[in-house]
Amino acid sequence: MGSSGSKAAPSAKADVSLVKRDTFSDQVYQVFSELDTDSSETLDFAEVQAGLQKLKYPSNYAYDVFTTLDKDKNSQIDFEEFKEWVEMKHEDMRVLFDSVDADKSGYIDFNELKLFLYHLDLPIKNAKMLMRKLDKDGDQKLLDKDGDQKLSFDEFRSGFALLHPSHFSAMKDTWMEYESDSDLAGVSAIDVSRSQKREESKTVPAWTSAVAGGLGNSISRTIIAPLERTRVQMIADAGRYPSMLACMQDIFKTEGVTGFWAGNALNIGRIAPQMAIAFYAKDYFKAVYAGPGNKPTPLQTLAASMSSGICCQTGVYPIDLIRTRLMTSPGAYTGMLDCLKSTVAEEGARGLYKGLLPANMFAVPYYGTQFFVYDMLKVQYTTFNRPADDPRPANPLIGIPLGAISSMTACFVAFPFQMAWKRLQVQGVGGRPIQYSGTIDCLRQVVAKEGVRGVYAGLVPNLIKLAPTGAISFLAVEAIKDFMGWRPQEMMLRQPVAMK
C-alpha cells in the first residue's frame, strides 16, 4: 500500500505539469494564429514583418528575427519554432511584467505602460495607440485586445512575442536598473548607466544620410521640376516676364509640356550626388567639429552646414553649369554632351567652373541656413517637454513643416548670391551680353539699375518652388531613414540581435 501510494504522487504531479504545458501551448498557439494571417500553419517573412511593424520596428530588425527563428532555413516558421522562441524569453517576460505592474493588480494599466515606454528604448512611444482595441479598419490591433485599458500578462506576452530574446532580456535589465535607481515608484529618473548607453546609441554612420539625402531629393526634384524650370528661367531672364504664369505660358508655347521637365534627368544626375555629398558632409563635419562622442553645439552645427555647402556645390558644379545652360538657352545645344564639348572648346576646361566662386558664395549661406534651421527645429521638436538625454523618436512627417520652413528661410538669406551666380553662368551664352566681372560687380550693377527689387527678382517663384521641395525632400529623407531603421534608436536595437 505504501509502495503504491508513493507512485501515485509523481503521477499526479506529471499530470499537473502536462496540463500547464498544454495551457501554455494553447496560449502561444493563439498568438501564432493571429500572426498567421493566411492560415497556412506557418509564418513567412511578410507576416513576421507585419507583426513587428505594428510596434514600429524597422524591416532590418524583422529580418534579424526571421533569420534567427528559421532554424531549418526553409523560409517558414512552424509552430514548434515559434513556441521555442517564446519559451526562451518567457521567464524574462514574467519578471518584467510583474515589475512594471507597480500596484500588483495583475495588470499593467495605462500610466504604468506609459512609464514603461518612456524609460525603455522601444520604437513606439504612444501608450494610447498600444491600448487602442481596434484600428481604423476595425481589426484587432497591438496590445489591448479586449479594450479594457489594461494589459493582462497574456496580452503583454502576445504583443511582444516576436521580439528577440536577447533584446527582451536587455529591456528587462534596463527596466530593473531604472527601478532600482528611482527614489519613488513612477519617478521619471534615468540612471547613469542607461544615460551612457543612450549616448552610445546616438551615432549613426554618415553614409546613411548620404543615401537618404540622394534618394529623397531625387524624388522631390522630379515632382517639382515644372516650378524649377520656371524659377531658373525667370532668374536668368529677369524682366522678360511680368509674372510666373507668363513665364510658364511661354515655356509651354515654345517647348510644350515636356519643356517643364527639360534638363530634369540631368538635374537628377546632379541633385542625387550633390545632396548625398551635402547630407554626408554635414554629418561628417558635425562629428569632426564636435569631437568623438560629443554633441555638436549650435555654432558647430552651423559651421558643419556651411562646410557641406562648399563640398556639395564644388563636387557637382560642371553638371549644374551644363544643366543651367541647357534650360535657359533652348536650341543652342543639341544635348548635354554637345554643351560640354562646346563649353570646353570655347572657354577651356576652366569654363566648366565658370561662376564657381559666386556659386559657393551662395552655397555657404544657403546650406548653412537650411541645415542649421532644420536641425535646430528638429532638436526643439524631439526635446520639447522631454529630458535632453531622452528625446522623443523623430516622426517622418516633421520633415514637411520643418523642411518647408528651413528651405524658405535659406532661400531668402542666400537669394541675392544665387541671382548673381545664375546671371554669371549664362552671360555670353545664347546671345546674352557679358555684363558682369564677378559677384560683387553683378550685385552692384543690379542694385544701381533695378534697385533692391532686382536683387530679389524671381524670389516669389523660388519660394513657391522651395516650400514644397523642401517639405517633400526632408519628408522623403526622414521616411527613408525610418523605413531602413537608420535612426539612433533602431541602430541600438539591432545590437542585441548581433550579440546573440
Side-chain angles (χ1 to χ4, degrees):
M1 292 293 291
S3 173
S4 168
S6 65
K7 292 181 180 179
S11 177
K13 290 181 180 178
D15 289 342
V16 171
S17 176
L18 180 61
V19 169
K20 287 183 177 179
R21 187 179 296 113
D22 288 343
T23 301
F24 174 76
S25 295
D26 289 342
Q27 292 169 342
V28 174
Y29 184 75
Q30 184 177 352
V31 179
F32 181 82
S33 298
E34 291 175 2
L35 294 170
D36 180 22
T37 55
D38 61 2
S39 301
S40 64
E41 295 298 323
T42 58
L43 302 180
D44 58 22
F45 174 70
E47 289 167 328
V48 171
Q49 184 180 33
L52 287 167
Q53 279 181 340
K54 289 183 177 181
L55 295 176
K56 307 299 183 184
Y57 281 89
S59 299
N60 55 4
Y61 184 84
Y63 179 77
D64 286 336
V65 168
F66 185 80
T67 53
T68 308
L69 253 172
D70 185 21
K71 290 188 174 181
D72 54 9
K73 307 304 177 185
N74 64 350
S75 299
Q76 292 180 329
I77 311 301
D78 60 32
F79 174 65
E80 290 302 321
E81 288 174 319
F82 181 75
K83 186 175 73 168
E84 182 181 349
W85 183 258
V86 176
E87 284 178 327
M88 290 170 65
K89 55 181 174 284
H90 189 265
E91 184 178 343
D92 284 335
M93 282 183 162
R94 184 80 253 184
V95 171
L96 182 57
F97 179 87
D98 291 341
S99 180
V100 176
D101 176 23
D103 60 5
K104 306 308 175 186
S105 63
Y107 295 91
I108 294 177
D109 62 27
F110 176 78
N111 289 328
E112 290 168 338
L113 179 63
K114 187 175 180 180
L115 191 66
F116 170 72
L117 295 176
Y118 183 86
H119 286 286
L120 291 184
D121 291 305
L122 293 170
I124 188 166
K125 293 289 185 182
N126 192 333
K128 289 183 179 179
M129 184 180 294
L130 288 175
M131 284 293 197
R132 190 182 303 154
K133 179 183 178 183
L134 301 176
D135 64 14
K136 62 182 180 180
D137 299 319
D139 298 325
Q140 284 193 332
K141 185 180 182 183
L142 303 181
L143 301 188
D144 186 19
K145 302 296 185 181
D146 54 14
D148 60 358
Q149 293 299 291
K150 57 185 181 181
L151 302 180
S152 65
F153 177 67
D154 288 344
E155 289 173 323
F156 182 80
R157 179 177 56 196
S158 173
F160 295 107
L162 281 171
L163 267 61
H164 198 285
S166 61
H167 175 206
F168 206 93
S169 177
M171 285 170 52
K172 183 204 70 173
D173 292 343
T174 298
W175 175 262
M176 300 303 285
E177 289 171 6
Y178 151 71
E179 191 176 54
S180 65
D181 286 349
S182 297
D183 295 327
L184 297 172
V187 174
S188 296
I190 302 177
D191 65 295
V192 174
S193 64
R194 182 166 177 268
S195 296
Q196 292 172 342
K197 177 182 177 183
R198 185 178 293 278
E199 288 301 313
E200 291 170 359
S201 74
K202 287 185 176 179
T203 300
V204 179
W207 67 261
T208 61
S209 291
V211 175
L215 288 176
N217 281 272
S218 296
I219 294 170
S220 69
R221 290 312 193 277
T222 300
I223 295 173
I224 307 299
L227 290 175
E228 167 72 0
R229 170 65 203 275
T230 304
R231 176 187 71 88
V232 174
Q233 196 72 45
M234 289 189 72
I235 292 175
D237 293 326
R240 178 178 173 183
Y241 305 105
S243 67
M244 180 180 175
L245 180 60
C247 181
M248 296 182 79
Q249 288 174 335
D250 184 61
I251 293 172
F252 179 75
K253 181 179 179 180
T254 56
E255 302 174 53
V257 175
T258 57
F260 290 109
W261 277 270
N264 185 60
L266 186 57
N267 190 32
I268 296 301
R270 173 190 67 92
I271 204 67
Q274 181 176 18
M275 297 312 298
I277 293 171
F279 276 83
Y280 177 87
K282 189 240 321 182
D283 286 357
Y284 172 78
F285 284 115
K286 280 170 70 173
V288 170
Y289 296 154
N294 298 324
K295 288 183 179 180
T297 64
L299 186 60
Q300 289 168 339
T301 298
L302 177 61
S305 301
M306 296 169 73
S307 299
S308 74
I310 296 175
C311 292
C312 72
Q313 193 69 269
T314 303
V316 299
Y317 190 79
I319 300 176
D320 183 77
L321 180 133
I322 293 171
R323 180 186 70 95
T324 300
R325 291 188 174 185
L326 286 173
M327 289 176 63
T328 57
S329 304
Y333 309 101
T334 59
M336 180 179 70
L337 188 59
D338 180 53
C339 182
L340 174 64
K341 289 181 178 178
S342 298
T343 301
V344 174
E346 296 171 9
E347 305 171 48
R350 294 183 62 182
L352 295 174
Y353 290 90
K354 183 178 182 180
L356 176 60
L357 178 60
N360 279 325
M361 290 178 69
F362 154 75
V364 168
Y366 181 82
Y367 288 99
T369 302
Q370 183 185 46
F371 283 139
F372 175 76
V373 171
Y374 186 87
D375 283 2
M376 292 299 100
L377 289 175
K378 188 174 178 180
V379 167
Q380 291 301 311
Y381 165 80
T382 55
T383 59
F384 182 72
N385 280 339
R386 303 273 295 209
D389 61 350
D390 189 26
R392 64 172 51 84
N395 188 315
L397 292 178
I398 66 172
I400 296 176
L402 271 54
I405 293 170
S406 61
S407 296
M408 293 175 72
T409 303
C411 173
F412 184 80
V413 170
F415 192 82
F417 297 101
Q418 184 181 30
M419 179 277 303
W421 163 36
K422 290 300 178 184
R423 290 196 183 189
L424 287 167
Q425 262 191 337
V426 300
Q427 69 175 350
V429 179
R432 297 183 181 87
I434 297 178
Q435 298 177 278
Y436 316 111
S437 60
T439 303
I440 303 303
D441 181 54
C442 179
L443 290 172
R444 182 183 60 77
Q445 288 194 45
V446 170
V447 171
K449 296 177 183 178
E450 306 172 37
V452 176
R453 291 186 62 183
V455 174
Y456 283 94
L459 176 64
V460 173
N462 216 33
L463 290 174
I464 292 174
K465 173 251 180 182
L466 280 176
T469 300
I472 296 171
S473 294
F474 281 97
L475 169 63
V477 169
E478 296 288 354
I480 290 169
K481 286 185 174 182
D482 200 59
F483 177 77
M484 296 302 295
W486 292 338
R487 299 279 188 202
Q489 189 178 64
E490 281 86 343
M491 294 300 289
M492 187 198 69
L493 289 176
R494 293 170 64 183
Q495 291 173 5
V497 179
M499 292 165 60
K500 64 181 183 288

